[in-house]
Amino acid sequence: MSDPVGFWDPLGLSADKDEATFKRRRAVEIKHGRIAMYACMGYITPEYFKFPGFLSPSLGLKFADVPNGLAALSKVPVLGGAQIIAFCGLIETTGFFQASSTTDGRGPREGQFSMKDSTESAEPGNYGVGFPTFLGKVEDPAARKSKLAAELANGRLAMMAIIGMFFQDGLTGSAWGDWSLYTSSPLRAREPKVARNFFGGDSTGSAGFDPAKELGVQDPVGFWDPLGLSADKDEATFKRRRAVEIKHGRIAMYACMGYITPEYFKFPGFLSPSLGLKFADVPNGLAALSKVPVLGGAQIIAFCGLIETTGFFQASSTTDGRGPREGQFSMKDSTESAEPGNYGVGFPTFLGKVEDPEARKSKLAAELANGRLAMMAIIGMFFQDGLTGSAWGDWSLYTTSPLRAEKEAEAPKPPPFDPAKQVGAMEPLGFFDPAGFSMVGDKEGFQNLRAAEIKHGRVAMMAALGGVVQHYVKFPGFDSVPAGLGAVATPPGTFGFAALFLASGAMELGVWTQDPNKEAGDFGDPLGLGQYDEEMRNKELNNGRFAMFAALGIISADLLTGKDAMQQFGL
């Protein structure tokens, strides 16, 4: 029973029932949910991978000959079907291979054709073989309760999903719903029409290229471009945007899987031995970003940059592995001039190439649809995480939800730590945390982020001021050192920078260390200026935030123009 719906039983199946009846139905629900989750995965996997060789050597039937979806049932040999039924029966009648937990491995029978699940009298769904991934048991009752709640929600979704897949398959005759085969669909266009964009005019480019006839334009929606981004564009522009769409979709699909996997599995050992940070210490969802070490983040960025700038390790298909540049900061994807998204390394699972053009076209259409769904899904996950502070949306933490049950208001609990009520949440924006880094209840995490924010703001204020002063003032012996970023690369400015770097490190590690018993950024008030009252702290945070933008602007402008902070104003 989870928010926001709470207890939902419109048919009254659990009304006036005893605990044993409820546990039996819960065990059945969990079992059906698990089967549905496996079924959904089983529907997806054959689209990308099939075993080599023969399914039935005696019949000459290869795995590759078996179609996807419901049509596969017509190809399964009779004895193969019997094996599946026998295996399911073995699982069902032996209490999931846990005979010791039941009476003769099956539980007492309640009727001629009914059988008691071995978990009903204890904890429904817990067969003692790992909960639910078989990778290891969850011994902590609170953790097991949380994971069971997540499994129930996922299982309910999977039951709806697999039924939807069956209907889609039955209506279209295709495992992934090729709507062009659903001839009786009321959404099908009565006659071919020229696709029109939002602003009027057709979608055909000036050179006769028609994006409405390209891959990814599928029934029932057809060509959908309400903003007219493909209107009056040539083929090269369309291909560039298609390559970007495919790339974003692939990233989103990986991101969705990356959001799910840590709920069930985390690597053992340390993520950062030097920091004493274990993989188990990293929270799920957006909060994980706050735990990634700086060098770890740099490795991720460097790896992504390597993939992006080398044409997906396919240097032979590009100019110097990157493609010709169209501007100082733009780069052409190595697949734009050929088949967008096809890097020649397996399409899209790296398990093998799809050489047949028609098969590749079909799989790319499926990938486009899945990628679009994944882009919507990962954005939804981010919003859910940001609203609730939990990777899987614990609605009990979403205190402002309009769907919360009124009974919760009747028995208020002590309010958890709320970052929205801390210093720095000021008009007109108020509390602004779109990425959800600061979770309700996580005071320690918030304090770490606030200390870092104050520190960066102070550095930025000194940097912005220094960018102005260095235009007018130079220390003796530094007359030949230019102003701006050029000072770092010109001796003796280089040596001065090295000295500043070492002095900053010494201050950071040995002098200005944050005391966990004090407010973030509180290193004392030797002049008695009252620096740590609420007004002064708000002012410092505001000035520091402004200075971070200012310093970044000065640096960016210097890189682009070669002018220092004051020369940028024509001074």
Side-chain angles (χ1 to χ4, degrees), residues 224 245 248-253 255-256 368-384:
W224 194 74
E245 179 187 22
H248 287 178
R250 289 171 177 171
I251 292 172
M253 286 188 278
C256 288
L368 277 167
N370 292 342
R372 290 164 180 170
L373 175 63
M375 285 188 274
M376 298 296 292
I378 194 62
I379 290 296
M381 290 177 181
F382 286 163
F383 269 91
Q384 183 184 41

Side-chain angles (χ1 to χ4, degrees), residues 5 17 34 90 99 113 151 215-216 293 308 313 332 335 377 434 447 546:
V5 176
K17 299 295 189 298
R34 290 172 177 172
L90 180 66
F113 298 105
E151 184 189 29
L215 201 62
E308 185 74 9
F313 299 121
K332 183 176 180 181
T335 67
Q447 290 289 87
F546 179 72

Side-chain angles (χ1 to χ4, degrees), residues 4 74 88 112 157 218 277 309 315 319 371 397 409 432 442 447 464 502 534 540 548 560:
S74 65
C88 293
Q112 187 175 3
L157 175 63
Q218 300 160 303
L277 179 65
T309 58
T319 304
L397 301 178
F432 182 74
D442 184 12
Q447 290 289 87
L502 293 174
E534 185 171 335
E540 181 185 30
M548 286 188 273
L560 288 171

Side-chain angles (χ1 to χ4, degrees), residues 459-481:
V459 172
M461 286 188 280
M462 288 190 285
L465 182 61
V468 175
V469 172
Q470 70 169 179
H471 178 80
Y472 299 104
V473 179
K474 293 182 183 295
F475 289 109
F478 287 83
D479 298 329
S480 62
V481 177

Side-chain angles (χ1 to χ4, degrees), residues 57-185:
S58 60
L59 297 178
L61 180 65
K62 295 182 178 180
F63 286 100
D65 299 330
V66 179
N68 298 350
L70 294 172
L73 297 175
S74 65
K75 292 289 187 178
V76 177
V78 175
L79 290 179
Q83 287 177 333
I84 294 173
I85 294 172
F87 179 75
C88 293
L90 180 66
I91 295 289
E92 185 74 9
T93 58
T94 57
F96 218 83
F97 299 120
Q98 295 296 300
S100 61
S101 65
T102 67
T103 304
D104 74 12
R106 297 178 298 175
R109 295 180 178 271
E110 298 174 347
Q112 187 175 3
F113 298 105
S114 65
M115 181 182 68
K116 183 176 181 180
D117 187 280
S118 62
T119 67
E120 285 177 32
S121 58
E123 187 177 30
N126 186 358
Y127 294 94
V129 291
F131 194 72
T133 59
F134 320 125
L135 295 175
K137 300 180 183 180
V138 182
E139 303 293 351
D140 179 36
R144 194 162 63 244
K145 181 179 179 181
S146 173
K147 290 187 178 293
L148 178 59
E151 184 189 29
L152 277 167
N154 292 343
R156 290 165 181 169
L157 175 63
M159 286 188 274
M160 298 295 291
I162 193 62
I163 290 297
M165 290 176 180
F166 287 164
F167 269 90
Q168 185 182 39
D169 195 343
L171 288 172
T172 66
S174 169
W176 285 103
D178 183 353
W179 288 100
S180 65
L181 302 178
Y182 183 19
T183 56
S184 59
S185 169

